[in-house]
Every structure is written in C-alpha cells, then in structure tokens.
Amino acid sequence: MPLAEKVTFGGSDLDRSAAERRDAAGLEGALANGAAVIALWRGKPLVQGDPQDGPCHLVRLTADHPVVAVKSHPPIFLGRIAGAPIFAQDISAWKPTEPVDEAQIGAFLDPTIQHHPAAPEGSAFRELRTVMNQLDARDAEMAATARALVNWHDSHGFCARCGAASTMSEAGWQRLCPACGAHHFPRTDPVVIMLITQGEKVLLGRSPGWPEGMFSLLAGFVEPGETIEAAVRREVYEETAVRVGAVDYVAGQPWPFPASLMIGCRGEAVTTEITVDTHELEAARWVTRSELLTVFAGTHPEIRPARKGAIAHFLLEHWLADRLG
C-alpha cells in the first residue's frame, strides 16, 4: 500500500548504522565531540512545544548537558541522521522538584508534564502518546525507537537463561550475561490489529478500563506457531464469535507501549452475529460507514473518534476514504 509508510512511527531517514554499535571507542568520541542526545524520563521524551498549539520536536542536547547528568543507563546509539550520530539517554533516576502523580504516570494516557530546571525554555517531558501526532516522521521514529529500547533494558536486567544480572552492550542493542555468556536482544511482540468489514460496516470493540466512549479495532498478540492470517481469524472469533474469511496485510506500526509491532490487516467477515467474550472486551458493535463519519466528526452520541497517530485511526480513516484498495 503506497500510504503504509505514512503511519506514525512508520519510518524516516534514520540510518541505524548497526555496524557502528560495536565501535565503543568511536561512539565515545562522537559523544565527546558534541553528538546529539535526546533525553527520556520514565519513557517520556523531552520535547519542545505544546501539542495543543501545533507541531513539536525532540530537544537535541549534548552528552555534557546538565539535563543528562543523572544517567539511569549508558547512552544508546540510535544511528545517524544525514550522517550525524544521535543518541538517547534515559534519565529516569532524576527526581523532579514538582510532585509526581504516580497514578497518572501509569495511566492509559498520561496528561502530566515534567519540567527540568536546566532544560531549554518551553520544553518538557511529555507522554509520547500525547505528542506522537505532532512530531515529524524523523522525530517520531527516534522517539519510538528510544522508548522501546529503554523499556526493554528496564524490564530485562537479568539473564533469562541463568538469572544473573546482565549488562548493556552493543551501544544499547544487546545485553550480555557475564555468568553464562548468553546474548539477549531487544524484544518486539507482534500484534495483529484488524479492520474487519462486511460491506459498508466495520467491527469495533471496547476494552475494559478504556476512556469513556472509546472504541477501536480489535487486536491481539500473535501466538507461537501461528500465521498472521490465522491470528486475525482467531482473535476476532475469540473476542466476538465473528468468523473471518479473506485476510490481507495493509501496514505496520512500531508501537513502543511497551514493545509491540502492530500488524495492520483487513479482513472480510463471513458472519455478523456478535457474542462478546467479557474476559477480553467490554463491548463490540458493527458501525456503518455513514455512522463512522459522525464518529470522526466528533458528533456521534456514544463513540469517540480513534486517537490520531494510532494505526487504528489510520486504517479507519483510509477505509472511509476508500483508499485501502
């Protein structure tokens, strides 16, 4: 699909320069010579601008900047942009002077922001979901990559083979176990998300705990030994008892919340009767194309529009515009 790479986090001109990850001396030299560093606090990137007012961008610092003085991990080499190296630095060990609302930090969508006293004026640490649609493709890809890697290091500090503490290596793209020598690599979980249609209707579902009025496309993890197509059919049937026939791939989206690859598919339903699995969903319903137009316009009495930037919004928007082929 020609539009597929326009999905948020879908990619830009970041050269990941995998061979350089083993050049520790060269990367240390790049940092010492002023290479750009983006900072993250508890997964939230430091961004300039307010997403309510318009476009935002990642703040570029240097390794000696006071914002990144309190390091939680060694810097992670993201790659090169137009030949220039760029790194990510986790500073989650930094303690904001403002009170931190832990309930909001761990919520579905964290609205809080944190200000570092040494950060450039007008910048703040913001939840990536709140700014993802206001970042350009380059910044979005870097933020998603950095967040996913930081999440992985935070949750994989011990060797899965022997249980010993592991250490970061390959500029953040591996962990090594000093006890048994095992190599561990960043994890990405494949998730199918599917636009299930029958004629002029699309199937939407709602998970427990979502904000009021939020419905989205059905989604679920691909299981071991399962094809993408089989995962689509299984997940839809398990959650709604709707049977799906033909399945096609549409587009993918890295989704660093915490570490998924969303595999966007389109499927044709061969049955329409819904029986909701209440362990998985709170509700599911068929929505007509004309009804979905009112959802996107924000005038539907029960359903809120899908969040911009998410692949569900992308798939629904292009289905409405008849651009999925």
Side-chain angles (χ1 to χ4, degrees):
M1 179 183 175
L3 296 169
E5 291 193 0
K6 294 186 178 181
V7 178
T8 302
F9 308 135
S12 65
D13 57 350
L14 174 64
D15 176 2
R16 296 182 174 232
S17 302
E20 285 191 83
R21 298 169 187 170
R22 297 184 292 274
D23 183 9
L27 294 178
E28 287 178 9
L31 284 166
N33 287 319
V37 177
I38 61 173
L40 296 96
W41 178 80
R42 297 179 66 170
K44 302 167 73 166
L46 181 65
V47 298
Q48 189 84 36
D50 186 333
Q52 301 298 320
D53 297 332
C56 300
H57 65 266
L58 296 177
V59 175
R60 272 74 163 171
L61 306 171
T62 54
D64 60 353
H65 196 282
V67 166
V68 294
V70 179
K71 297 175 173 58
S72 301
H73 298 294
I76 296 170
F77 175 59
L78 298 179
R80 289 180 176 269
I81 293 288
I86 190 159
F87 295 78
Q89 181 64 67
D90 179 25
I91 65 159
S92 297
W94 167 65
K95 303 296 184 185
T97 55
E98 308 154 327
V100 174
D101 186 338
E102 293 293 340
Q104 294 283 9
I105 293 286
F108 180 82
L109 184 64
D110 174 15
T112 67
I113 60 176
Q114 286 73 38
H115 297 93
H116 194 293
E121 184 177 355
S123 66
F125 290 99
R126 295 180 182 269
E127 165 59 43
L128 183 54
R129 286 185 182 91
T130 68
V131 298
M132 61 184 182
N133 201 50
Q134 294 292 350
L135 297 174
D136 65 22
R138 176 185 288 175
D139 277 6
E141 181 181 14
M142 288 194 296
T145 302
R147 178 175 173 131
L149 286 168
V150 167
N151 286 339
W152 177 66
H153 285 293
D154 284 343
S155 59
H156 289 73
F158 296 88
C159 177
R161 179 185 291 174
C162 73
S166 59
T167 59
M168 185 187 290
S169 67
E170 298 268 341
W173 291 86
Q174 280 192 43
R175 294 192 71 87
L176 292 181
C177 177
C180 71
H183 294 241
H184 302 283
F185 300 89
R187 175 175 174 170
T188 298
D189 299 317
V191 178
V192 287
I193 182 165
M194 36 277 183
L195 181 87
I196 303 302
T197 60
Q198 189 178 72
E200 293 295 294
K201 298 181 297 184
V202 62
L203 183 61
L204 300 182
R206 171 179 168 78
S207 291
W210 279 3
E212 184 179 355
M214 179 178 176
F215 279 76
S216 187
L217 300 178
L218 304 188
F221 290 99
V222 180
E223 294 186 345
E226 188 173 48
T227 66
I228 291 171
E229 295 84 354
V232 168
R233 297 187 183 105
R234 174 186 55 78
E235 282 288 340
V236 174
Y237 183 74
E238 286 179 355
E239 294 184 353
T240 65
V242 171
R243 294 287 187 181
V244 175
V247 174
D248 296 308
Y249 170 78
V250 179
Q253 181 183 46
W255 193 245
F257 307 105
S260 297
L261 174 63
M262 307 301 291
I263 304 169
C265 297
R266 180 176 183 177
E268 183 67 22
V270 296
T271 65
T272 58
E273 185 174 351
I274 295 174
T275 302
V276 172
D277 178 357
T278 54
H279 292 288
E280 297 285 340
L281 296 178
E282 183 178 284
R285 60 193 290 177
W286 290 102
V287 175
T288 65
R289 190 186 295 265
S290 59
E291 190 180 5
L292 189 61
L293 283 170
T294 68
V295 172
F296 270 68
T299 59
H300 194 283
E302 299 173 347
I303 303 176
R304 292 168 53 182
R307 186 172 61 252
K308 289 184 178 181
I311 194 171
H313 186 281
F314 174 90
L315 294 171
L316 288 166
E317 180 181 43
H318 289 292
W319 177 69
L320 275 177
D322 199 23
R323 290 196 293 256
L324 291 182

